[in-house]
Amino acid sequence: MPFFLKESPSSTQFCFRLSPIVAFATNMLDQANKLFYSPEESANINAVWASLIIEECSRLGLRYFCIAPGSRSSPLAVAASSHALITCISCFDERSLAFHAVGYGRGSHIPAVVITSSGTAVSNLLPAVVEASQDFVPLILLTADRPPELQECGANQAIYQVNHFGSFVRYFFNLPTPTDQIPAKMVLTTVDSAVHWATSTPRGPVHINCPFREPLENSPSEWKSSCLKGLDFWITNGEPYTKYIHMQQSCRFNNATGQLIDILNLIQRAKSGLLVIGAIHTEDEIWAALHLVKHLMWPVVTDILSGLRLRKHFTSFPDIEGNFIFVDHLDHALFSKSVREWLEIDMVIQIGSRITSKRICQMLDECVPFSYIMVDKNPNRQDPSHIVTHRVQSSIVGFVDFLLKARVPHSRSKLATSLQVLSKMVEWEIQFQICIECSLTEPHVAHVMSNALSSESALFLGNSMPIRDADMYGHSKLICSESVTSLMLNSDIPFSWIRVAGNRGASGIDGLLSTAIGFAVGCNKKVFCVIGDVSFLHDTNSLAILNQSKLREPMTILVLNNHGGGIFSFLPLANKTEPSILHQYFHTSHNISIGKLCLAHGIKHLHAQTKVELEDALFAAQNEDKDCLIEIESSIDGNANFHSILRKFALQTAENTIRLLSASLSQSSIKDEFLYFKVHKIECSQYRIALCAPPTSTSLGHDQKDFYRGGFILSLFLEDGSVGFGEIAPLEIHRENLEDAENQLRFLMHAMKGVKISCFLSLLKGSFSRWIWNELGILPSSIFPSVRCGLEMAILNAIANARGSSLLDILHSWTNEKDKYQSSTKVQVCALLDSNGSPAEVASVAAALVEEGYSAIKLKVARWGDPIHSALIIQEVRKKVGYHIDIRADANRRWNYEEAMEFSSFVKDCGLQYIEEPVQDEDDILKFCEESGLPVALDETVDNIHENHLEKLARFSHPRIVAIVIKPSIVGGFENAALIAQWARQLGKMAVISAAFESSLSLSAYVQFSYYIDMQNASRFTVSHNKVVPSVAHGLGTYRWLKEDITTNPVLIDRSPHSKFIEASVADARQLLKNFQVNQNVINNVITEDQVHTYQLTVELDNVSCLFRVQEIGQKNDDNVMVFLHGFLGTGDDWIAIMKAISGSARCISVDLPGHGKSIINTVKIPGQEPCLSLEIVAGLLHNLIDHITPAKVTLVGYSMGARIALYMALKFGFKAKGAVLISGSPGLNDKLARKIRAAKDVSRACSMVAHGLQLFLESWYAGELWRSFRSHPHFNRIIASRLQQHDVQSLAKMLSGLSIGKQPSLWEDLKNCRMPLLLMYGEKDTKFKKTTEAMINTMCSGQEKCNNIHEVVEVPITGHAVHLENPLSIISALRHFMTRLSMLN
């Protein structure tokens, strides 16, 4: 029976409301046939029906209601807003409200319910209904209406609402006016049927029209409870009245026959298949799509709405990632006609709905005939090009499950690899152009949004340009996994994805912000919304909804304000329409203040006009707990121009890449479909050659008569017998010396055996850096510049040799094959002149050089410090040689600002082509440019940039900086040199390739590389149509210094009979490298890889004995012995690469600690005494072991647990150690409580290891914050797999427990008296051990004046706790310098 809510029993199972104070409850059944009425406060039949509708919606899971104000809909509005389980939101604008409901449906996949009044309020829903219908978004519309007697008679707000939305709704029902003469269960079945239609395939909007007679408020009116007959069970159980049962679609595929077998056969026969992933929306679908990508190993084009376009790659799975062939930038590659003609596809599988890229759709249309399989659960035709040959109506999950069970064979095709490389090159070019563009552009917004998003956030894209820019310029990103558990879960699929949504059903610009807000509510993520200004202004009423921030995370809204509709600038009409007409009737230009609109609605507004301001605004918004709107200032014309630049350079890159790909694919010597070579071995020879004079980089002196140049020849042998040579020859200006370089070369000799080399490394553009990181597992920036240059030179020459080609030919894509053999392929050479002498003497030498045929001369100035003397030399040289010769000056940063300005005042009329590095302080360069008026070139400034080149070069875009001098051996190889040259070229600056007094081997490579740079410059001119940079004389004049050479046929640089200038012949340089022969007379040492000597020794101490596995490398004498101790879970193998690197100068010994690797612990049980391990016992065992191996003092090197042992041994057995290197080490804990807690924790961990096994322990151990950086290492999985090879888990557990940092004796007091040299090392990202190390050095140096002469601290960059595994080259360098310091101290 009805009861008043204030008296309602608390035990009622459910209730549905009849009025604000009257409801039905489960205890009403016994009087259901009686007439109920109340003279004062009883419900009317309108309230009964309204409450039934709302309650049934709630039972069906529909809990989000969007209510527009209105009188006729008040029964529904009151019932919904009074329901305890329903969330309601309201807005005065029905259009915005309906789009908000569409957004909620997109985000949650559950329909929202819209309640409106009658009349045009219903018509305002049409745009949202169309969008929901076209894009299969579930939506429930409850529209109030006038009763029949008020239809078509002029009644107020009465229009014909029957089938108002026509075919755009999946279901329509016109309810009768509420009456007790109709069973109420009819209302329930109507709602059930409507929701079934909305949520069944094809999903979409449904419309229930609800006419109501007055009274519309809760005025009492008699009604008969007999209309509730048949609802007894419904009232008592809380379930929907009618349950619709969905059969699993996968059942269809259980017995594949007929057409499905045909599809399987088509897929199996495909040799050049393409997988296209359109818009998909659920995690299950995305997961299934990724499994299909992995299984087929076809190239994959992912639409921005697939969720995979902005995917995040886990960095620890480079091997697995090879099975996922994403082609993210095919769209811009298709600007190239060559690419379109080259593409040969014999099959396409498309899963998901329509795709955004028009060019990809056109390409698919042009590539027919081929089999085109379209998979979508909706029956509608999604085939605007009419090319689908097989239409599979199925869920993505069901289809993928079918294919996986069918075990369709898969293999990676050459097309797949080629498309992936093509896409990578186009992506690199796009990112380069976006990066170097100083202004804030709309493509930049799409680019940075990719970085700002995480897997916990989602993206909503507006129509017109925002979604297109995101599709073209958004990118995937490498991330570090948060935990080992997530790594294990993603070991098959090493990606996370970003949920992306947009209104692409009808692709209108109306209601976008409203939809985005609803999407944020539905998906329950932090949503970023990117829309245009016109779209925003079209939907400003949505700001009223934004303020009702119920049930959602704060949003960040980016409004791209170019003051009009920018997309029309990209259409053909833009070039054929008067600008005034275009602006007024297409762009709809405006000057509306978005900031003031936000102020009116109380929305936080941020304004960004520059890249830095956008970065700051995004950071501020992400750290706010409220909604933020970022207005990004743009311009229609500027945006169109920059898009044009991106298109042109993407086209050029695609053209060049496709020519190089075609050449590579034609080579039979390349290994299988992955297009790689395999390294057989590396050899290294040390040379010493005589020079005619000292290099100009050395200090001036008069005593020395003989001058020599030393270096290494790197010989890289491929398995097919091809050989490539490289040169490593550091000078004083390098940050490394010969010993440093030798250590890294020894490391590479070990690390590169059997390594795969892609034939596409010659494309540069990040290829080498990715290869170094993924294949070698070392940070590209950690390789010394001269070593990386020599390595790249050897690899490029080996690839060229294997392809029967040359270094130039694998770098540069020739449009015409005949061009490469022209004799005119020459490189101009600039003479180098040391200004050692009087002005007249130097001028005479310069004149002689001009007579020889040099068109350009570089003079070393500031050699004697006096700027006036240098200026007089320049003046005299200019008088002597005339103005037709280019004169360059190089001050090598020897002057302060005042001295440089003094020099400039004397030479301003001398016509200098430029002066290199005029000032000591880098910060004074721009000031000098402004004040002196002289053209400037950068040299050392560029040399000092070791990573993030573009970011650091950006500040030097000043127009008076006219040239960049690039020494490949100092900037770190050809890839970095090409990047810097491209930056210079893009800004209209000269890119001058310069040698650093290397031999003919390097000079021949530099000649070809210089020509490649010149060709790139010429091709840039054809793209940009800017003023062409004149031909450049490159800095290869150092060949004149060579008295001897490392080859029997030195490089030929001579006067050209055609130009009459000194030039280097590209053909001769090709020939020299092709037939390179080492001059054995200059070789003074051949470096061979030392072999590992492994043996076992048994050592005893007290009641413990241990059979140690020992590994030795290097010298056999005891002059310099280093003992390496690994960390917990490691083995002596962890040190092998590092030991090999320094084996040329030390006897290196690694030991498997007790319980680890192949070392075996034996304990003797003594009655009444429990055998145990401790730090003291293990240190004692190791001391005895070392004493057995060598009588000499040793240098201890320990990591983590090994570092604690090494420190204890250094302090307690100082007579046996001459120094110690502690990597991520600690002296223990001082606090007693902390010691107890840590000891108990380690005992618990040890027990867990024994109880649950090593694998589960490893997952837990490496899940900690300490290992975050290590988890991002590309070889992390490989290293963890090696940890599973531990033989004795029981002993391993004993070591964990017994050597717990909570049990070991604290060594802090001992540190105060430590006089033994210590090198303390920690990773830059390891904040915990950084603090520990700082505390250690402070403890040791307290009261000691000369502490810094004894102890040293090194922070290893870009690493975490596992320093020796994450950045081994930095460890090697630090160890070598520590050994040198020890030898000096001892």
Side-chain angles (χ1 to χ4, degrees):
M1 61 178 290
F3 59 86
F4 292 105
L5 288 181
K6 61 185 178 182
E7 301 170 353
S8 64
S10 60
S11 61
T12 55
Q13 179 180 345
F14 76 95
C15 72
F16 64 96
R17 198 179 299 273
L18 301 177
S19 75
I21 59 171
V22 180
F24 270 104
T26 55
N27 60 355
M28 319 170 43
L29 300 179
D30 55 339
Q31 303 185 50
N33 292 321
K34 294 183 180 178
L35 181 66
F36 298 107
Y37 65 93
S38 168
E40 297 178 353
E41 294 182 294
S42 59
N44 54 50
I45 194 64
N46 285 345
V48 173
W49 278 37
S51 291
L52 288 170
I53 292 170
I54 301 305
E55 173 62 27
E56 189 68 352
C57 284
S58 173
R59 294 184 182 205
L60 289 163
L62 280 54
R63 305 284 172 79
Y64 195 71
F65 281 64
C66 304
I67 302 174
S71 173
R72 189 62 55 173
S73 57
S74 54
L76 294 168
V78 169
S81 60
S82 303
H83 197 288
L85 300 179
I86 285 175
T87 298
C88 296
I89 194 166
S90 66
C91 182
F92 48 80
D93 182 355
E94 289 88 358
R95 185 183 65 175
S96 291
L97 195 69
F99 273 111
H100 179 75
V102 171
Y104 178 85
R106 282 196 188 283
S108 66
H109 311 296
I110 299 170
V113 182
V114 179
I115 296 174
T116 71
S117 187
S118 61
T120 56
V122 179
S123 301
N124 279 324
L125 305 181
L126 180 60
V129 171
V130 170
E131 177 61 34
S133 178
Q134 294 291 96
D135 215 17
F136 311 104
V137 179
L139 178 66
I140 310 296
L141 307 173
L142 301 177
T143 59
D145 199 358
R146 262 56 178 172
E149 62 270 21
L150 296 180
Q151 296 292 335
E152 300 187 27
C153 62
N156 190 42
Q157 285 192 359
I159 65 171
Y160 189 69
Q161 294 178 198
V162 174
N163 285 317
H164 195 69
F165 303 112
S167 61
F168 290 112
V169 293
R170 305 288 184 264
Y171 173 86
F172 170 78
F173 193 85
N174 191 39
L175 282 171
T177 305
T179 172
D180 56 8
Q181 300 303 307
I182 297 176
K185 58 188 178 184
M186 181 277 298
V187 177
L188 300 179
T189 60
T190 299
V191 173
D192 294 335
S193 179
V195 173
H196 172 67
W197 277 98
T199 56
S200 299
T201 303
R203 292 180 158 208
V206 296
H207 179 196
I208 301 177
N209 198 47
C210 308
F212 291 104
R213 292 190 176 92
E214 295 183 349
L216 302 172
E217 72 285 355
N218 294 318
S219 300
S221 178
E222 295 183 5
W223 58 278
K224 295 180 181 179
S225 63
S226 59
C227 66
L228 302 177
K229 185 177 179 181
L231 297 185
D232 300 2
F233 183 72
W234 179 80
I235 291 172
T236 58
N237 68 15
E239 295 289 325
Y241 188 81
T242 302
K243 301 180 186 69
Y244 285 81
I245 310 301
H246 292 264
M247 294 294 290
Q248 290 292 327
Q249 289 189 353
S250 60
C251 295
R252 302 180 189 178
F253 299 116
N254 284 344
N255 296 304
T257 55
Q259 293 178 322
L260 288 176
I261 296 297
D262 292 342
I263 287 175
L264 280 177
N265 291 334
L266 286 171
I267 295 172
Q268 288 170 352
R269 288 198 300 268
K271 289 184 169 47
S272 302
L274 180 70
L275 179 60
V276 178
I277 303 180
I280 51 181
H281 308 291
T282 69
E283 289 203 6
D284 286 346
E285 289 175 331
I286 294 173
W287 190 258
L290 281 169
H291 275 283
L292 183 61
V293 172
K294 180 185 177 186
H295 182 74
L296 288 178
M297 294 178 69
W298 287 6
V300 186
V301 174
T302 56
D303 186 79
I304 187 63
L305 294 179
S306 68
L308 297 174
R309 187 68 172 72
L310 306 179
R311 66 196 173 277
K312 309 297 181 184
H313 299 240
F314 294 121
T315 55
S316 300
F317 299 94
D319 297 334
I320 300 173
E321 281 185 31
N323 298 330
F324 297 84
I325 308 159
F326 290 104
V327 186
D328 290 335
H329 293 273
L330 181 60
D331 175 277
H332 268 38
L334 290 172
F335 281 118
S336 164
K337 182 181 178 182
S338 300
V339 171
R340 297 194 300 271
E341 292 175 347
W342 168 81
L343 264 176
E344 291 184 5
I345 300 168
D346 62 4
M347 184 167 195
V348 172
I349 298 176
Q350 180 181 339
I351 59 175
S353 57
R354 70 192 75 181
I355 54 180
T356 304
S357 170
K358 184 177 180 180
R359 273 174 294 279
I360 289 176
C361 290
Q362 289 173 337
M363 177 273 293
L364 294 173
D365 193 10
E366 291 170 2
C367 283
V368 292
F370 52 74
S371 299
Y372 197 121
I373 299 172
M374 172 74 183
V375 181
D376 194 33
K377 62 185 176 184
N378 297 304
N380 303 51
R381 180 170 55 167
Q382 296 282 351
D383 184 20
S385 298
H386 310 290
I387 55 176
V388 172
T389 60
H390 297 77
R391 179 65 165 85
V392 180
Q393 186 180 349
S394 161
S395 69
I396 295 170
V397 175
F399 179 74
V400 172
D401 184 57
F402 163 66
L403 285 187
L404 295 182
K405 287 179 178 176
R407 300 183 182 277
V408 176
H410 57 276
S411 62
R412 181 172 175 139
S413 64
K414 285 189 177 181
L415 172 70
T417 301
S418 302
L419 278 177
Q420 190 175 38
V421 171
L422 176 65
S423 177
K424 284 284 185 189
M425 293 301 102
V426 172
E427 177 183 18
W428 190 95
E429 184 65 34
I430 288 170
Q431 292 186 0
F432 174 84
Q433 296 296 334
I434 290 174
C435 182
I436 68 167
E437 174 59 38
C438 298
S439 61
L440 175 55
T441 63
E442 293 180 27
H444 175 78
V445 175
H447 189 73
V448 298
M449 276 305 304
S450 305
N451 297 325
L453 293 164
S454 70
S455 55
E456 288 75 41
S457 55
L459 177 64
F460 185 91
L461 293 167
N463 287 320
S464 193
M465 287 310 297
I467 192 166
R468 289 175 171 84
D469 279 346
D471 193 55
M472 293 186 292
Y473 308 122
H475 63 94
S476 60
K477 183 181 177 184
L478 289 173
I479 61 169
C480 168
S481 176
E482 294 298 315
S483 67
V484 171
T485 303
S486 65
L487 282 176
M488 298 302 175
L489 289 173
N490 292 285
S491 59
D492 254 2
I493 308 291
F495 305 101
S496 64
W497 45 84
I498 302 296
R499 186 150 181 211
V500 184
N503 279 355
R504 297 302 285 174
S507 299
I509 65 166
D510 46 348
L512 291 174
L513 184 54
S514 298
T515 309
I517 300 167
F519 177 68
V521 178
C523 72
N524 197 30
K525 290 177 178 283
K526 185 174 177 64
V527 168
F528 289 79
C529 170
V530 186
I531 60 173
D533 53 326
V534 176
S535 298
F536 173 77
L537 295 174
H538 205 293
D539 195 25
T540 52
N541 284 344
S542 62
L543 295 176
I545 302 176
L546 187 65
N547 274 323
Q548 303 176 58
S549 56
K550 296 180 179 179
L551 300 176
R552 66 172 174 83
E553 298 288 326
M555 290 181 65
T556 300
I557 301 161
L558 281 73
V559 178
L560 301 168
N561 188 5
N562 53 28
H563 303 277
I567 193 171
F568 295 102
S569 297
F570 298 92
L571 302 180
L573 67 87
N575 299 319
K576 298 179 181 179
T577 308
E578 288 291 330
S580 59
I581 296 175
L582 195 66
H583 281 286
Q584 184 171 359
Y585 298 106
F586 293 92
H587 292 162
T588 55
S589 303
H590 68 87
N591 287 305
I592 298 172
S593 171
I594 291 175
K596 289 181 180 178
L597 280 170
C598 291
L599 180 65
H601 287 272
I603 306 297
K604 184 176 178 66
H605 173 266
L606 300 169
H607 196 211
Q609 294 179 290
T610 67
K611 288 182 174 182
V612 174
E613 288 176 353
L614 175 60
E615 184 180 345
D616 293 342
L618 282 170
F619 180 80
Q622 286 174 297
N623 290 280
E624 286 278 357
D625 58 356
K626 58 183 177 182
D627 301 317
C628 286
L629 186 147
I630 303 173
E631 179 185 356
I632 300 169
E633 201 70 36
S634 180
S635 77
I636 290 176
D637 293 339
N639 186 43
N641 289 337
F642 188 61
H643 274 82
S644 176
I645 289 171
L646 290 174
R647 288 196 299 271
K648 289 176 180 178
F649 279 104
L651 184 154
Q652 184 191 65
T653 300
E655 295 273 356
N656 292 339
T657 304
I658 207 67
R659 284 196 290 269
L660 286 168
L661 280 171
S662 299
S664 299
L665 292 169
S666 64
Q667 300 298 318
S668 59
S669 60
I670 299 173
K671 284 270 187 182
D672 66 35
E673 70 274 12
F674 291 101
L675 303 171
Y676 68 78
F677 304 98
K678 208 166 187 178
V679 176
H680 173 58
K681 65 176 180 177
I682 288 180
E683 292 179 355
C684 195
S685 303
Q686 188 170 0
Y687 70 80
R688 187 169 182 258
I689 57 176
L691 300 179
C692 302
T696 58
S697 57
T698 60
S699 300
L700 289 173
H702 302 284
D703 298 334
Q704 194 173 347
K705 294 183 179 180
D706 296 322
F707 310 99
Y708 294 93
R709 183 83 164 91
F712 301 93
I713 302 171
L714 183 67
S715 307
L716 187 145
F717 296 82
L718 302 180
E719 283 192 342
D720 67 355
S722 303
V723 188
F725 297 96
E727 181 178 5
I728 298 93
L731 268 177
E732 298 86 351
I733 54 176
H734 286 80
R735 59 188 172 111
E736 68 274 14
N737 58 30
L738 282 172
E739 290 79 7
D740 293 322
E742 180 181 339
N743 289 340
Q744 290 202 350
L745 287 170
R746 288 180 179 274
F747 176 91
L748 291 172
M749 290 172 72
H750 168 74
M752 286 188 61
K753 281 191 299 187
V755 164
K756 299 173 184 176
I757 292 178
S758 168
C759 68
F760 301 125
L761 288 182
S762 61
L763 293 170
L764 307 180
K765 299 188 175 182
S767 300
F768 266 109
S769 293
R770 285 191 297 271
W771 175 81
I772 289 169
W773 177 237
N774 289 328
E775 290 294 330
L776 303 184
I778 54 179
L779 293 163
S781 60
S782 70
I783 305 181
F784 289 129
S786 64
V787 176
R788 177 164 175 177
C789 182
L791 176 64
E792 289 186 7
M793 192 187 302
I795 290 174
L796 291 173
N797 282 327
I799 293 173
N801 192 341
R803 286 170 46 179
S805 188
S806 70
L807 187 148
L808 173 61
D809 298 335
I810 64 172
L811 291 175
H812 179 67
S813 57
W814 297 90
T815 306
N816 187 339
E817 282 293 305
K818 295 179 181 179
D819 293 345
K820 67 168 73 173
Y821 302 110
Q822 290 184 1
S823 59
S824 60
T825 51
K826 304 277 189 177
V827 172
Q828 288 189 37
V829 176
C830 176
L832 180 62
L833 178 57
D834 201 341
S835 57
N836 185 14
S838 68
E841 291 170 338
V842 176
S844 295
V845 177
L849 290 172
V850 171
E851 189 67 25
E852 286 183 39
Y854 286 99
S855 61
I857 301 173
K858 181 166 84 170
L859 289 130
K860 290 287 185 177
V861 296
R863 296 286 275 167
W864 302 103
D866 181 6
I868 296 177
H869 178 75
S870 294
L872 292 174
I873 289 175
I874 297 293
Q875 291 175 354
E876 192 65 28
V877 170
R878 177 56 78 196
K879 287 179 188 176
K880 197 79 172 176
V881 304
Y883 280 82
H884 65 288
I885 300 298
D886 290 329
I887 297 179
R888 305 166 181 174
D890 185 2
N892 290 115
R893 289 188 166 188
R894 294 176 185 268
W895 286 324
N896 60 33
Y897 177 75
E898 289 73 22
E899 290 171 330
M901 287 301 298
E902 187 177 14
F903 170 82
S904 71
S905 66
F906 282 89
V907 300
K908 60 184 179 182
D909 297 324
C910 291
L912 281 182
Q913 190 176 30
Y914 57 72
I915 177 169
E916 286 180 38
E917 300 290 348
V919 289
Q920 295 168 351
D921 191 339
E922 191 175 288
D923 294 333
D924 287 335
I925 292 176
L926 299 182
K927 183 180 176 184
F928 179 85
C929 290
E930 291 289 344
E931 297 297 326
S932 71
L934 289 183
V936 172
L938 301 183
D939 185 358
E940 285 86 352
T941 299
V942 177
D943 296 345
N944 292 332
I945 300 174
H946 304 304
E947 54 188 341
N948 302 324
H949 292 82
L950 296 182
E951 181 183 324
K952 294 173 182 176
L953 283 169
R955 61 183 292 220
F956 299 111
S957 59
H958 195 285
R960 283 208 179 97
I961 296 177
V962 301
I964 309 296
V965 179
I966 307 166
K967 300 183 181 74
S969 70
I970 298 181
V971 301
F974 297 89
E975 183 169 271
N976 286 338
L979 172 64
I980 297 166
Q982 184 171 353
W983 176 83
R985 192 168 61 243
Q986 193 77 13
L987 297 178
K989 305 179 190 301
M990 287 184 284
V992 181
I993 305 304
S994 180
F997 301 93
E998 294 101 331
S999 73
S1000 287
L1001 174 57
S1002 289
L1003 286 170
S1004 297
Y1006 295 162
V1007 167
Q1008 296 184 69
F1009 186 66
S1010 299
Y1011 191 79
Y1012 162 71
I1013 295 300
D1014 291 343
M1015 292 299 97
Q1016 294 294 103
N1017 192 35
S1019 62
R1020 175 195 170 274
F1021 172 68
T1022 62
V1023 171
S1024 61
H1025 302 292
N1026 291 340
K1027 180 181 177 182
V1028 66
V1029 179
S1031 59
V1032 176
H1034 293 281
L1036 307 178
T1038 57
Y1039 76 94
R1040 295 169 60 89
W1041 266 250
L1042 298 177
K1043 192 174 183 180
E1044 291 182 302
D1045 211 332
I1046 64 173
T1047 178
T1048 53
N1049 298 304
V1051 66
L1052 181 63
I1053 297 178
D1054 206 350
R1055 188 166 187 161
S1056 168
H1058 303 288
S1059 68
K1060 307 304 180 183
F1061 292 129
I1062 296 292
E1063 295 176 334
S1065 166
V1066 173
D1068 288 339
R1070 277 195 184 111
Q1071 202 64 27
L1072 187 150
L1073 290 178
K1074 183 178 180 181
N1075 303 315
F1076 183 78
Q1077 295 289 326
V1078 177
N1079 177 8
Q1080 296 296 332
N1081 294 327
V1082 300
I1083 303 301
N1084 55 18
N1085 185 28
V1086 176
I1087 300 171
T1088 57
E1089 183 182 3
D1090 291 320
Q1091 300 303 307
V1092 180
H1093 174 48
T1094 305
Y1095 56 91
Q1096 293 180 314
L1097 285 175
T1098 299
V1099 177
E1100 296 182 355
L1101 181 69
D1102 299 334
N1103 64 332
V1104 178
S1105 70
C1106 183
L1107 176 65
F1108 284 101
R1109 182 182 75 146
V1110 183
Q1111 297 183 90
E1112 273 201 47
I1113 307 173
Q1115 297 179 351
K1116 301 304 179 185
N1117 58 52
D1118 293 321
D1119 294 340
N1120 193 5
V1121 183
M1122 304 192 80
V1123 177
F1124 293 83
L1125 306 176
H1126 59 78
F1128 178 62
L1129 294 172
T1131 67
D1133 295 337
D1134 293 351
W1135 295 108
I1136 294 299
I1138 291 174
M1139 290 163 60
K1140 287 199 172 187
I1142 60 175
S1143 62
S1145 54
R1147 179 185 179 189
C1148 301
I1149 301 168
S1150 71
V1151 180
D1152 285 2
L1153 292 178
H1156 291 74
K1158 295 181 180 178
S1159 289
I1160 302 170
I1161 302 173
N1162 294 304
T1163 55
V1164 180
K1165 290 189 177 181
I1166 300 175
Q1169 185 177 341
E1170 183 69 25
C1172 66
L1173 291 173
S1174 66
L1175 183 71
E1176 299 94 314
I1177 291 174
V1178 172
L1181 287 168
L1182 287 169
H1183 170 263
N1184 293 346
L1185 174 69
I1186 294 169
D1187 213 30
H1188 191 279
I1189 294 172
T1190 175
K1193 283 189 174 185
V1194 302
T1195 302
L1196 297 166
V1197 182
Y1199 159 70
S1200 195
M1201 177 185 280
R1204 290 192 284 121
I1205 297 170
L1207 178 59
Y1208 182 88
M1209 293 177 69
L1211 294 173
K1212 303 299 183 181
F1213 306 113
F1215 54 86
K1216 190 62 181 174
K1218 59 182 178 181
V1221 180
L1222 311 178
I1223 305 170
S1224 304
S1226 167
L1229 300 174
N1230 262 333
D1231 184 75
K1232 290 183 179 180
L1233 179 59
R1235 288 167 61 83
K1236 285 183 178 180
I1237 293 172
R1238 178 56 187 267
K1241 186 180 290 187
D1242 286 336
V1243 169
S1244 174
R1245 286 170 172 164
C1247 293
S1248 175
M1249 184 195 299
V1250 174
H1252 303 295
L1254 188 55
Q1255 181 160 350
L1256 285 176
F1257 177 83
L1258 284 173
E1259 292 178 21
S1260 173
W1261 180 263
Y1262 285 108
E1265 180 66 21
L1266 193 65
W1267 309 104
R1268 174 189 287 268
S1269 175
F1270 186 34
R1271 290 195 296 269
S1272 69
H1273 194 276
H1275 296 173
F1276 174 78
N1277 271 356
R1278 194 183 306 170
I1279 295 168
I1280 297 306
S1282 71
R1283 301 292 191 247
L1284 288 169
Q1285 306 306 312
Q1286 302 285 359
H1287 293 284
D1288 188 352
V1289 175
Q1290 293 279 352
S1291 296
L1292 203 61
K1294 288 179 182 178
M1295 284 288 286
L1296 174 59
S1297 173
L1299 272 72
S1300 167
I1301 197 171
K1303 290 183 179 180
Q1304 78 163 62
S1306 173
L1307 300 174
W1308 286 100
E1309 284 299 318
D1310 299 82
L1311 279 179
K1312 294 178 181 179
N1313 302 313
C1314 179
R1315 298 294 181 270
M1316 180 177 294
L1318 298 182
L1319 171 59
L1320 310 179
M1321 303 184 71
Y1322 63 87
E1324 177 187 11
K1325 301 177 184 178
D1326 189 355
T1327 55
K1328 175 183 175 182
F1329 279 84
K1330 179 178 182 178
K1331 292 178 181 177
T1332 301
T1333 304
E1334 289 171 351
M1336 289 173 68
I1337 199 71
N1338 290 336
T1339 300
M1340 290 187 292
C1341 292
S1342 177
Q1344 294 187 34
E1345 293 182 3
K1346 297 183 179 180
C1347 172
N1348 292 332
N1349 295 330
I1350 303 174
H1351 308 303
E1352 185 181 358
V1353 175
V1354 172
E1355 179 181 275
V1356 181
I1358 326 176
T1359 55
H1361 188 65
V1363 182
H1364 63 312
L1365 298 174
E1366 296 179 53
N1367 196 344
L1369 294 185
S1370 292
I1371 297 291
I1372 292 164
S1373 178
L1375 289 177
R1376 196 192 75 76
H1377 288 284
F1378 184 65
M1379 285 190 291
T1380 303
R1381 197 159 64 86
L1382 281 181
S1383 65
M1384 294 172 64
L1385 290 172
N1386 294 324

